[in-house]
Amino acid sequence: MDYTISASYYQNDKWSMLWPESETITVPPNDVSTVDVTLVTPIDLQTGVYQGFLNFQNDRHEVNAPVSFVIKESITENDSTILIKGKQSDEILYGNGYTKGAFDMVNRYMAGDWRQYYFDIQNEFVNSAAIEISWTSDDTNLAVFVMDPLARIVQTNVPSGVFGHFLGWPSLDWLGNTPFSQGGGFFPVKNKDDASTVLYVPINQTGTYTLLTHSTLFGGNSTTEPITLAAKFTNISSEDMSQYIEIITEDEISSDLEKTTKNETQTSEKEPTPIESTVTSDDLDSLLLTGIGIGIGIGIAIGIVSIIVLRQKSVK
């Protein structure tokens, strides 16, 4: 029988994302010492779990302390779309966009590669997510679970159904215990086609939702297999969306009113507003007659005064 052996291994290398405050520390006898380490992650780092080691050594002893951290994908806007693709990396054995063929048909239920993805829902109007996960080989099968911020499973593509109710099985694709082991193998259960699965996830609160993929069967064509995760976070409730639109509209109207008021205030401070008036032909006629009447009255008064003055002079 022809076969191929492949080996993967870790090599000691500096971890560029970790910055210890000092490369040398002193630990007194029978005592402890504290060292601060700063984590600086690239902005394009995909969601998932990242792991490595902190190495401590002296002349006679060496210790590798495991370190891991989680990158979350923040969902701040409604109708947000996330795409995660398997891509090669020189820094790790296989990235978050890959699943590994590490499963055993006669081992425990947990056997097989698990991958984790984290989505931090910050927009309270997002109440659902549509997720599609696809892979390469038709012989590979992934069981997918989604947990809410309280660690409750709220969706899966392999629900336990009647087997979970009566037999306590964790999922539909599991074949139960055998007389000689905890694992009875897995059967492929796919709800879309041979190389993909879809889920609809209800989102009832803000917080971090966790998506777990479990490689229960593996095609075996390579050590790892690329997977693609596409997710869209949105709101499908017409009532909630109408409230969301109303709030946005009210905010926009308030903003427009503030801008208009500010502009009017600035205009009034800069220059006085001219007052415009309109005079009709009838108004002009009445003004003309009034002026003539006033002129005649003044003329008569002047004439009377003149006559009185002349009479007084003639008498003298």
Side-chain angles (χ1 to χ4, degrees):
M1 180 179 65
D2 294 332
Y3 60 88
T4 300
I5 295 178
S6 62
S8 301
Y9 63 93
Y10 285 103
Q11 181 178 358
N12 288 333
D13 197 5
K14 285 193 176 293
W15 202 0
S16 60
M17 289 184 288
L18 290 183
W19 293 76
E21 66 174 353
S22 175
E23 294 186 358
T24 303
I25 61 173
T26 301
V27 183
N30 299 321
D31 203 347
V32 298
S33 182
T34 302
V35 56
D36 292 331
V37 179
T38 302
L39 174 65
V40 181
T41 60
I43 58 175
D44 59 345
L45 208 59
Q46 290 181 342
T47 175
V49 178
Y50 295 82
Q51 61 278 339
F53 298 92
L54 286 177
N55 179 262
F56 299 89
Q57 59 181 328
N58 59 17
D59 296 337
R60 296 180 298 174
H61 189 54
E62 182 175 353
V63 173
N64 286 318
V67 175
S68 64
F69 62 90
V70 167
I71 294 295
K72 298 190 294 184
E73 193 75 37
S74 298
I75 308 299
T76 58
E77 300 293 335
N78 191 37
D79 293 333
S80 297
T81 302
I82 305 297
L83 180 64
I84 298 174
K85 289 185 176 181
K87 58 182 180 181
Q88 296 291 345
S89 174
D90 297 332
E91 298 180 357
I92 51 180
L93 292 181
Y94 64 107
N96 291 315
Y98 283 82
T99 186
K100 189 176 183 180
F103 77 102
D104 189 345
M105 294 290 288
V106 296
N107 205 328
R108 299 176 298 164
Y109 176 87
M110 293 75 71
D113 190 34
W114 290 81
R115 307 298 277 165
Q116 302 86 22
Y117 306 93
Y118 303 90
F119 304 97
D120 185 13
I121 311 297
Q122 300 179 10
N123 191 321
E124 61 181 1
F125 289 97
V126 173
N127 64 3
S128 64
I131 300 175
E132 180 185 56
I133 300 174
S134 57
W135 51 92
T136 304
S137 173
D138 293 346
D139 295 327
T140 298
N141 190 71
L142 295 180
V144 185
F145 304 88
V146 179
M147 296 186 299
D148 67 2
L150 300 178
R152 300 172 301 191
I153 295 177
V154 293
Q155 188 56 281
T156 177
N157 67 336
V158 287
S160 58
V162 65
F163 298 100
H165 182 76
F166 290 104
L167 300 177
W169 287 14
S171 60
L172 182 64
D173 61 342
W174 189 52
L175 301 180
N177 294 320
T178 65
F180 56 89
S181 73
Q182 295 183 17
F186 288 89
F187 183 83
V189 176
K190 306 174 182 181
N191 61 12
K192 185 175 182 287
D193 53 41
D194 289 337
S196 64
T197 186
V198 294
L199 297 91
Y200 165 73
V201 182
I203 296 176
N204 299 319
Q205 64 183 99
T206 56
T208 300
Y209 284 74
T210 305
L211 186 145
L212 306 175
T213 64
H214 182 199
S215 179
T216 56
L217 298 172
F218 195 77
N221 296 325
S222 60
T223 305
T224 59
E225 184 173 332
I227 59 177
T228 299
L229 187 153
K232 183 174 183 179
F233 299 85
T234 186
N235 185 299
I236 63 169
S237 175
S238 58
E239 181 179 355
D240 291 343
M241 279 306 297
S242 62
Q243 294 176 359
Y244 180 62
I245 293 172
E246 287 177 0
I247 290 176
I248 292 178
T249 305
E250 289 178 359
D251 292 340
E252 290 178 351
I253 292 174
S254 300
S255 178
D256 292 341
L257 287 174
E258 290 178 359
K259 291 180 180 178
T260 303
T261 305
K262 184 178 181 180
N263 291 336
E264 290 178 351
T265 304
Q266 291 176 351
T267 302
S268 63
E269 291 176 352
K270 291 180 179 179
E271 58 183 9
T273 303
I275 300 175
E276 298 181 356
S277 60
T278 304
V279 182
T280 62
S281 59
D282 293 338
D283 295 335
L284 290 174
D285 294 340
S286 62
L287 291 173
L288 182 58
L289 293 175
T290 303
I292 294 173
I294 293 174
I296 295 172
I298 293 174
I300 295 173
I302 292 173
I304 294 173
V305 172
S306 300
I307 294 171
I308 295 173
V309 172
L310 292 173
R311 284 184 179 181
Q312 289 178 354
K313 287 183 179 181
S314 61
V315 172
K316 293 180 179 179

